């Protein structure tokens, strides 16, 4: 039996009829048509469906939509500020970190959480932060490079980087 | 002023912004009005006859709109090689028997996924289980069950050739050795699974949106199967989330299922593979068993090679019949070898279909050949780098099969990477359990596998000097939209922002075979360049008249058309376009360009022929540390130098090299699609482990940009080949580290430990024997 659910996604309030069994991923993609969040494994093993709930990373394929009532959900569509791309989005472009683009939304959101908590991470910390996000195209090198560059820009290149 | 203004620049992908913001629409993201969800019921048996299908309960389920079986499919079989109907072996849904676990048997369309899934469970099928065969060597034996009744000894294809005098060369060689190697099945794991949407409208037009590497091959095969003219079918390739060869077949059974369901229901139907289906029923890399005999002169000069390769085809052909041949050609592409014999056998088994995967049969053969080269080098006391330098091809070389190599900078690559890695003094730095290994690669750019390999491009110029580039090149994430736009902008003499690209729509773009065989940059790039030249041919006479010079005096760059010897004399590119349009002739500027390489399809009897337009080369050095307690191999550092001609976009080129090498590393150390009686045992990322960001250290490949004479601005293909050098480099490094030679991939901790234990036993036996003296 479907029930009414209020969801706050990217600063907008939505009211949707959902079945209790529906995952947040299904509701985002199929009901709200926010298809930037990707379904890749549907098993919590690849990180592509990562969204932020109250600024924390969550695998939306393992999260029931009804459990997200009243929480602030951020998807990749909500990351830019007006017309301005988030510095991670810009860095991913400028450093060649985007190939097919399927891992990109989850990868950017996972790295946003890292930079929010640790403004100038080490390469190792970057690799750990995205180790739950699979990419098949890049070999991760340019993704790591982009995240480090975005952190430099934010923290200032001279500020000490954690080793 | 650099030679080029747009080519050679590290620009972000032209379609990157929509990817980082989540706007990019992949097939699975497309939602059409009244669209149904299709699902496929697959065979639970590796080999069985279908006796009866009862779908009544499924049809009675509310929300189910159609159920199709093999009987509802067209009677004409299809396959990858449109010009070779004898290789066609697929119907869309199995008609009489199933040949692997996962084969398509029934297709259902319902109002949503839940209903479609429920419907599958309500279908009952009576099967007569047949004896099955899982090992290609067993499958070739007399009396083995036949996967296809008409394929004797289960042989799908068996290319044999000999060039030169192999036996005589062996008899004259200083040193000859024979070894056996094996490689495992791996699968593409593109993050976007195969997905397709089909619509069959009342006017009889079919539209397909498909996650494909080759929209035109879908169009062609569908027209053939349905007996329709090509203009009744439109195939659109939305953004594609990776392919790696797995989406190169063109028409897949699921596409045909969607089309037939759409016809039956009168509504669009979407079918998306789930991840498990991707592992069990898409495509995989052929596993090979290779016996390789090689003879050398005292100085390491390669004299002869004799190879026998048996590949596990799985149940159907896909690209396999060509792939087994490419493994043999690889023997000649890398090094000069005058005498070559090859016996290849592609053998059907009751397993999922082996098909194209980045590296195409070359990876398996190169793992064997570049591993064995190190074994030979050690025996005759030559450094692995020197034996490679002694034998590597040079520009202009003719291979024994009468294919010639327009450009090759492999020697420069080896020198470069040896310097970067400190190869020459690695012995002085050698510490216990650490070692370095080298592996080389060679790869054809555009091998002519099908009846032709020509393509075309169209450039439509607006009156402000901006332009739309229409190309059949399929961007699957590798970045061809960007490189094609860079080539167009460079040749036109405008900025990259001035080019809008339209690709991936068979209604609009000229024919292009697709993204495979490292052909796109070379073939489509040349067509794009030709189209831009055609634009200038139309535009320059007008500009020349205005500027009072001859058209041959003009060049265009930075959005202006200049007089070569007098740059002060110029006009804006857009002004010239506008001038043409406003002239009495009212001339619209639309440039077209064709390209057809001067290659031939390899002769199927002699196996001779110049089938490759160009060849790219490279080398990787890997440094490893082996954990003697666990047998684990840790990659400490990686170095690479690659000759892929002019890099149209060096940043993208590096990304391709890094990604391919990553795939090679994954195959070398981690991945193995395990099957038991034809059932895939690890059909998820939980059990089939992809390397993560923690498993691969940074890798900064060096580009040796030696221009190819035939490539657009000197570019050649480069995205595939570098995948094939990584596994021999790692195997050689493991040997260098601990003296354990792994001859079968993947290099697992178990195998390394076993090798270490054998060493211990051997040394203690030696000690006992020594003590008894």
């Amino acid at each position: 039996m479907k029930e009414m659910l209020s969801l706050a996604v990217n600063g907008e309030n939505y009211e949707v009829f959902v079945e209790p069994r529906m995952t947040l991923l299904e509701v985002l993609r199929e009901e709200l048509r926010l298809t930037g969040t990707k379904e890749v494994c549907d098993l919590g093993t690849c990180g592509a469906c990562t969204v932020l709930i109250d600024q924390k990373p969550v695998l939306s394929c393992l999260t029931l939509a009804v459990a997200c009532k009243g929480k602030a959900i951020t998807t990749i569509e909500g990351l830019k500020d007006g017309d301005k791309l988030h510095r991670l989005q810009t860095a991913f472009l400028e450093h060649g970190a985007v190939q097919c683009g399927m891992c990109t939304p989850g990868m950017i959101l996972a790295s946003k959480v890292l930079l929010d908590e640790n403004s100038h991470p080490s390469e190792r910390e970057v690799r750990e932060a995205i180790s739950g996000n699979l990419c098949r195209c890049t070999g991760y090198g340019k993704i790591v490079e982009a995240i480090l560059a975005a952190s430099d820009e934010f923290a200032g290149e001279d500020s000490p980087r954690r080793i | 002023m650099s030679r080029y203004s747009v080519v050679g620049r590290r620009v972000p992908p032209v379609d990157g912004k929509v990817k980082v913001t989540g706007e990019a629409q992949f097939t699975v993201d497309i939602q059409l009005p009244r669209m149904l969800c299709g699902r496929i019921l697959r065979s639970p048996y590796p080999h069985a006859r279908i006796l009866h299908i009862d779908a009544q309960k499924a049809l009675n389920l509310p929300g189910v709109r159609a159920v199709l079986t093999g009987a509802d499919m067209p009677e004409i079989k299809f396959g990858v090689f449109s010009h070779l109907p004898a290789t066609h072996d697929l119907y869309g849904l199995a008609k009489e028997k199933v040949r692997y676990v996962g084969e398509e048997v029934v297709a259902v369309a319902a109002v949503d996924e839940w209903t479609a899934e429920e419907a599958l469970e309500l279908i009952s099928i009576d099967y007569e289980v047949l004896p099955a065969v899982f090992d290609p060597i067993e499958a070739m034996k007399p009396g083995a069950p036949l996967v296809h009744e008409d394929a004797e000894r289960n042989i799908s294809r068996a290319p044999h050739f000999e060039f030169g005098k192999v036996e005589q060369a062996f008899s004259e060689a200083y040193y000859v050795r024979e070894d056996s190697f094996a490689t495992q099945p791996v699968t593409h794991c593109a993050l976007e699974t195969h997905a397709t949407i089909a619509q069959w409208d009342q006017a009889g037009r079919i539209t397909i949106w498909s996650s494909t590497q080759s929209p035109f091959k879908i169009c062609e095969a569908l027209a053939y199967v349905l007996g329709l003219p090509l203009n009744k079918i439109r195939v659109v390739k939305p953004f594609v989330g990776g392919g790696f060869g797995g989406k190169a077949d063109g028409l897949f059974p699921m596409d045909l299922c969607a089309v037939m369901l759409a016809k039956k229901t009168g509504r669009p139907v979407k079918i998306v593979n789930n991840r498990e289906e991707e592992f069990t029923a898409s495509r995989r890399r052929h596993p090979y068993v290779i016996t390789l005999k090689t003879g050398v002169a005292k100085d390491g000069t390669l004299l002869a090679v004799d190879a026998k390769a048996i590949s596990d085809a799985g149940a159907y052909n896909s690209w396999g019949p060509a792939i087994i041949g490419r493994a043999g050609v690889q023997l000649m592409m890398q090094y000069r070898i005058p005498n070559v014999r090859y016996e290849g056998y592609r053998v059907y088994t009751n397993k999922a279909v082996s098909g194209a995967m980045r590296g195409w049969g070359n990876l398996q053969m190169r793992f064997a050949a570049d591993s064995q080269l190190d074994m030979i080098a050690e025996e005759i006391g030559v450094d692995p780098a020197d034996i490679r330098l002694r034998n590597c091809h040079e520009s202009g070389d003719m291979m024994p099969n009468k294919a010639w190599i327009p450009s090759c900078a492999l020697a420069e690559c080896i020198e470069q990477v040896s310097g970067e890695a400190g190869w020459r003094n690695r012995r002085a730095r050698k510490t216990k359990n650490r070692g370095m290994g080298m592996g080389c690669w060679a790869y054809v750019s555009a091998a002519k596998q099908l009846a032709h390999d020509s393509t075309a491009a169209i450039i439509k110029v607006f009156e402000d000097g901006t332009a739309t580039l229409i190309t059949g090149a399929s961007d699957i994430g590798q970045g061809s939209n960007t490189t094609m736009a860079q080539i167009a902008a460079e040749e036109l003499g405008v900025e990259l922002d001035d080019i809008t690209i339209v690709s991936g729509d068979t209604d609009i773009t000229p024919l292009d075979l697709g993204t495979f065989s490292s052909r796109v940059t070379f073939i489509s790039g040349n067509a794009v360049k030709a189209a831009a030249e055609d634009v200038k041919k139309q535009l320059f006479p007008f500009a020349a008249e205005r500027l009072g010079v001859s058209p041959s005096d003009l060049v265009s760059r930075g959005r202006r058309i200049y007089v070569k010897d007098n740059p002060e004399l110029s006009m804006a590119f857009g002004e010239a376009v506008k001038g043409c349009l406003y002239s009495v002739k009212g001339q619209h500027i639309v440039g077209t360009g064709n390209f057809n390489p001067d290659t031939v399809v390899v002769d199927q009897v002699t196996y001779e022929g110049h089938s490759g337009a160009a060849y790219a080369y490279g080398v990787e050095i890997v440094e490893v540390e082996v954990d003697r307690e666990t047998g684990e191999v840790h990659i400490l550092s990686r170095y690479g130098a690659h000759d892929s001609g002019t890099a149209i976009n060096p940043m993208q080129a590096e990304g391709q090299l890094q990604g391919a090498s990553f795939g090679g590393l994954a195959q070398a150390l981690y991945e193995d699609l395990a099957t038991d009686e034809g059932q895939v045992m690890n059909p998820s990322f939980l059990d089939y482990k992809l390397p993560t960001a923690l498993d691969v250290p940074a890798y900064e490949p060096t580009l040796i940009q030696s221009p190819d004479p035939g490539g657009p601005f000197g570019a050649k293909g480069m995205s595939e080949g570098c995948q094939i050098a990584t596994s021999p480099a790692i195997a050689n490094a493991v040997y260098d580290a601990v003296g354990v030679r792994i001859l079968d991939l993947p290099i697992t901790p178990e195998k390394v430990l076993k090798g270490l234990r054998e060493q211990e036993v051997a040394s203690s036996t030696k000690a006992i024997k020594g003590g008894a003296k």
Side-chain angles (χ1 to χ4, degrees):
Chain A
M1 184 65 79
K2 285 190 174 181
E3 60 181 74
M4 176 74 87
L5 173 68
S6 300
L7 283 179
V9 185
N10 302 328
E12 282 188 54
N13 292 318
Y14 296 89
E15 291 201 328
V16 280
F17 272 111
V18 301
E19 305 232 17
R21 66 184 174 183
M22 286 177 90
T23 63
L24 178 59
L25 177 62
E26 286 174 284
V27 171
L28 288 172
R29 288 181 54 82
E30 284 157 34
E31 303 297 322
L32 307 186
R33 302 292 301 137
L34 291 167
T35 55
T37 306
K38 297 301 177 197
E39 178 181 331
V40 165
C41 74
D42 208 24
L43 205 63
T45 54
C46 74
C49 67
T50 302
V51 299
L52 307 184
I53 296 184
D54 296 334
Q55 300 307 311
K56 298 284 177 210
V58 165
L59 296 172
S60 61
C61 77
L62 296 184
T63 306
L64 288 174
V66 290
C68 301
K69 208 172 167 179
K71 293 174 180 168
I73 299 163
T74 306
T75 70
I76 191 70
E77 289 92 344
L79 201 60
K80 63 183 196 324
D81 181 10
D83 286 343
K84 195 174 178 298
L85 294 181
H86 187 275
R87 67 181 192 282
L88 275 163
Q89 291 171 313
T90 308
F92 268 58
L93 291 175
E94 287 176 353
H95 291 268
V98 181
Q99 287 190 28
C100 85
M102 280 296 279
C103 77
T104 307
M107 203 63 96
I108 288 178
L109 290 172
S111 46
K112 179 184 183 295
V113 174
L114 169 72
L115 297 195
D116 286 348
E117 291 171 357
N118 174 1
S119 64
H120 218 196
S122 67
E123 182 186 331
R124 176 79 194 177
E125 286 169 327
V126 169
R127 286 181 179 273
E128 276 170 7
I130 60 166
S131 63
N133 294 73
L134 297 177
C135 168
R136 194 58 157 172
C137 295
T138 64
Y140 304 104
K142 292 199 183 292
I143 293 176
V144 173
E145 192 184 311
I147 298 167
L148 289 170
S151 81
D152 280 343
E153 189 201 323
F154 186 67
E157 277 178 47
D158 297 335
S159 71
R161 182 182 294 289
R162 294 191 6 196
I163 310 283
Chain B
M1 201 170 178
S2 75
R3 193 165 165 208
Y4 303 127
S5 57
V6 187
V7 159
R9 265 171 50 198
R10 306 172 69 86
V11 293
V14 292
D15 46 17
K17 263 189 194 163
V18 293
K19 291 182 180 175
V20 297
T21 53
E23 272 174 81
Q25 292 272 296
F26 296 75
T27 301
V28 68
D29 300 330
I30 295 170
Q31 197 74 33
L32 299 176
R34 302 177 67 241
M35 189 162 74
L36 297 171
C37 172
R39 292 290 294 147
I40 291 172
L41 186 63
R42 297 173 178 280
S43 168
Y45 298 111
H47 200 190
R49 201 173 305 286
I50 302 167
L51 300 177
H52 180 67
I53 299 176
D54 182 358
Q56 198 52 51
K57 278 188 194 162
L59 277 165
N60 292 345
L61 184 71
V64 172
R65 293 289 181 267
V67 179
L68 301 180
T69 70
D72 303 306
M73 287 285 144
E75 290 300 324
I76 299 170
K77 290 188 238 181
F78 64 92
V80 166
F81 305 97
S82 55
H83 61 304
L84 301 171
T87 62
H88 297 183
D89 54 10
L90 293 172
Y91 285 115
L93 290 171
K95 280 190 185 279
E96 283 164 15
K97 68 174 193 172
V98 288
R99 295 179 172 86
Y100 71 96
V101 175
E103 181 163 0
E104 300 82 359
V105 183
V106 181
V108 167
V111 290
D112 57 36
E113 195 180 343
W114 299 95
T115 311
E117 286 283 350
E118 204 178 330
L120 295 188
E121 288 170 19
L122 295 174
I123 295 165
S124 85
I125 304 175
D126 294 334
Y127 289 101
E128 176 197 348
V129 178
L130 300 170
V133 64
F134 305 108
D135 177 74
I137 293 165
E138 291 299 317
M140 286 167 81
K141 289 180 180 164
L146 289 178
V147 180
H148 297 268
E149 280 73 13
D150 56 349
E152 228 177 289
R153 293 170 65 212
N154 283 310
I155 292 170
S156 145
R157 187 157 175 79
H160 287 38
F161 56 74
E162 179 167 355
F163 301 111
K165 292 178 177 163
V166 172
E167 286 308 325
Q168 192 185 325
F170 280 139
S171 69
E172 291 164 5
Y174 168 75
Y175 177 72
V176 179
R177 72 174 295 142
E178 183 177 310
D179 302 281
S180 289
F181 299 87
T183 63
Q184 82 279 36
V186 296
T187 188
H188 312 78
C189 298
L191 289 200
E192 183 200 22
T193 62
H194 289 70
T196 187
I197 299 170
Q199 186 173 36
W200 195 319
D201 70 19
Q202 294 306 309
R205 277 268 293 174
I206 301 172
T207 306
I208 296 177
W209 293 260
S210 185
S211 174
T212 179
Q213 294 177 227
S214 180
F216 281 97
K217 284 191 69 62
I218 296 182
C219 196
E220 178 190 46
L222 204 54
Y224 170 71
V225 166
L226 298 173
L228 290 175
L230 288 165
N231 72 336
K232 293 290 178 196
I233 300 164
R234 176 187 183 196
V235 181
V236 181
K237 180 207 67 66
F239 283 98
V240 172
F244 315 110
K247 296 170 182 169
D249 285 26
L251 189 71
F252 277 92
M254 64 189 288
D255 296 303
L256 188 54
C257 288
V259 168
M260 299 311 286
L261 286 168
K263 184 183 188 189
K264 178 112 180 172
T265 59
R267 292 168 66 165
V269 176
K270 181 198 272 188
I271 303 179
V272 180
N273 266 2
N274 62 30
R275 184 54 58 183
E276 185 175 336
E277 289 175 299
E278 204 69 1
F279 277 105
T280 55
S282 65
R283 296 287 179 264
R284 55 182 194 148
R285 191 193 292 284
H286 290 75
Y288 272 61
V289 176
I290 295 166
T291 306
L292 190 65
K293 185 176 173 184
T294 304
V296 295
K298 195 172 183 182
D299 62 1
T301 302
L302 288 162
L303 298 177
V305 62
D306 183 9
K308 184 176 172 184
I310 298 170
S311 79
D312 182 347
Y316 292 99
N317 278 331
S318 180
W319 280 96
I323 293 169
I324 187 70
R326 297 313 296 180
V329 176
Q330 168 64 211
L331 290 165
M332 297 175 269
M333 253 153 59
Q334 182 96 41
Y335 307 114
R336 289 172 172 161
I337 307 181
N339 305 290
V340 178
R341 184 162 57 205
Y342 177 66
E343 246 183 81
Y345 299 90
R346 180 177 190 267
V347 186
Y348 294 122
T349 60
N350 292 111
K351 291 196 278 196
V353 186
S354 302
M357 186 167 171
R358 204 175 196 172
W360 254 70
N362 295 253
L363 182 143
Q364 297 91 327
M365 187 55 80
R366 188 46 49 201
F367 165 67
D370 251 46
S371 292
Q372 194 189 50
L373 197 60
D374 264 38
M375 295 151 86
I376 292 168
E378 185 185 24
E379 287 295 329
I380 63 171
V382 177
D383 185 88
D386 291 331
I387 199 167
R388 287 172 173 81
L389 283 167
R390 175 160 302 282
N391 291 293
C392 65
H393 274 302
E394 289 176 14
S395 301
D397 275 5
M398 178 77 83
M399 292 188 249
N401 64 345
K402 306 249 166 40
W404 64 279
I405 299 167
S407 66
C408 171
L410 179 56
E412 280 173 75
C413 291
I414 294 173
E415 297 288 9
Q416 170 72 26
V417 79
S418 298
E420 286 177 19
W423 177 266
R424 297 286 175 189
N425 61 9
R426 70 193 189 287
R427 290 277 164 261
R429 291 180 286 122
K430 169 101 173 80
T431 54
K432 202 177 173 215
N433 303 331
R434 287 190 175 196
M436 247 186 196
M438 179 181 280
C440 288
W441 64 270
Y443 207 76
V444 67
S445 309
K448 198 166 271 184
Q449 311 283 355
L450 302 167
H452 75 95
D453 198 1
S454 71
T455 192
I458 301 167
I459 297 177
K460 189 166 71 84
V461 191
F462 293 100
E463 60 268 34
D464 61 357
T466 62
T468 300
L469 164 63
I470 303 166
T471 168
S474 291
D475 197 320
I476 57 168
Q478 88 281 27
S480 63
N481 278 350
T482 307
T483 45
M484 293 303 121
Q486 283 183 266
I487 289 169
E490 180 67 47
E491 188 59 42
L492 289 175
V494 298
E495 299 299 329
L496 184 60
D497 280 350
D498 298 336
I499 306 292
T500 294
I501 188 159
V502 174
S503 66
D505 187 333
T506 60
D507 254 11
I508 300 168
T509 78
L511 170 66
D512 191 294
L513 296 182
T515 296
F516 49 80
S517 199
S518 291
R519 60 180 293 283
V520 177
T521 303
F522 197 96
I523 303 286
S524 308
N526 267 318
V528 168
K529 187 165 183 287
E533 284 163 2
D534 189 41
V535 164
K536 293 198 297 190
K537 210 168 137 192
Q538 297 170 38
L539 207 53
F540 279 12
F542 175 86
E545 200 183 324
R546 278 282 179 90
L547 297 170
V549 294
S550 149
S552 62
D553 294 332
L554 297 177
V555 286
S556 56
R557 188 158 175 158
R559 295 176 175 153
R560 293 197 77 77
I561 298 172
Y562 296 90
V563 177
K564 255 180 263 179
D565 302 328
N566 183 12
E568 299 297 308
L569 206 53
S570 73
M571 69 186 297
F573 189 87
E575 282 305 308
V577 181
K578 206 178 279 175
C580 286
L581 188 62
Y582 295 178
S583 70
V584 180
K585 273 164 70 184
Q587 192 187 353
H588 292 251
I589 304 295
V590 180
T592 60
N594 297 316
F595 184 72
N596 188 23
D598 62 345
T599 52
V600 295
V601 179
V602 169
D603 186 291
Q604 294 304 299
V605 178
T606 64
Y607 286 90
E608 284 184 347
H610 180 59
S611 67
Y615 296 86
Y617 291 89
V619 53
E620 268 188 42
I621 289 177
V622 176
E623 189 173 17
V624 302
E625 181 165 44
V626 177
D627 185 325
R628 281 185 173 272
E629 295 299 313
T630 64
E632 272 179 291
V633 175
H634 300 286
I635 307 288
L636 300 176
S637 50
R638 296 191 287 161
Y639 306 87
H642 307 280
D643 158 32
S644 50
T646 304
I648 303 294
N649 182 331
M651 184 165 76
Q652 277 191 186
E654 289 160 10
Q656 286 300 305
L657 292 165
Q658 289 168 333
S661 172
F662 166 72
L665 186 147
Q667 171 144 22
L669 293 178
Y670 304 116
E671 296 176 14
D672 192 352
L673 193 67
T675 53
D676 183 15
E677 305 253 296
Q679 176 84 48
V680 174
M681 301 308 287
N682 50 353
S684 78
F685 293 141
L686 281 175
D687 299 309
Y688 182 100
K689 296 286 189 193
L690 265 56
T692 72
L694 288 170
D695 299 311
V696 282
Y699 170 50
E700 300 294 341
T702 300
L703 298 167
I704 305 290
Q705 300 198 39
S706 83
D708 185 85
F713 301 103
K716 47 189 178 181
M718 44 78 60
S719 298
E720 280 186 85
C722 41
Q723 185 137 355
I724 76 182
T726 317
S727 55
I730 293 175
N732 291 337
V734 169
Y735 181 80
D736 188 52
V738 292
V740 173
R741 173 58 66 182
I742 303 293
L743 302 171
D744 58 325
L745 293 178
I747 303 168
T748 58
E750 291 86 346
K751 291 177 194 169
V752 175
L753 268 187
K754 186 166 171 274
L756 290 168
R757 294 287 171 270
E758 282 166 5
Q759 268 180 3
E760 281 167 24
V761 171
S763 66
S764 62
T765 313
K766 213 168 151 189
I768 291 163
K769 277 183 187 164
K773 252 183 200 171

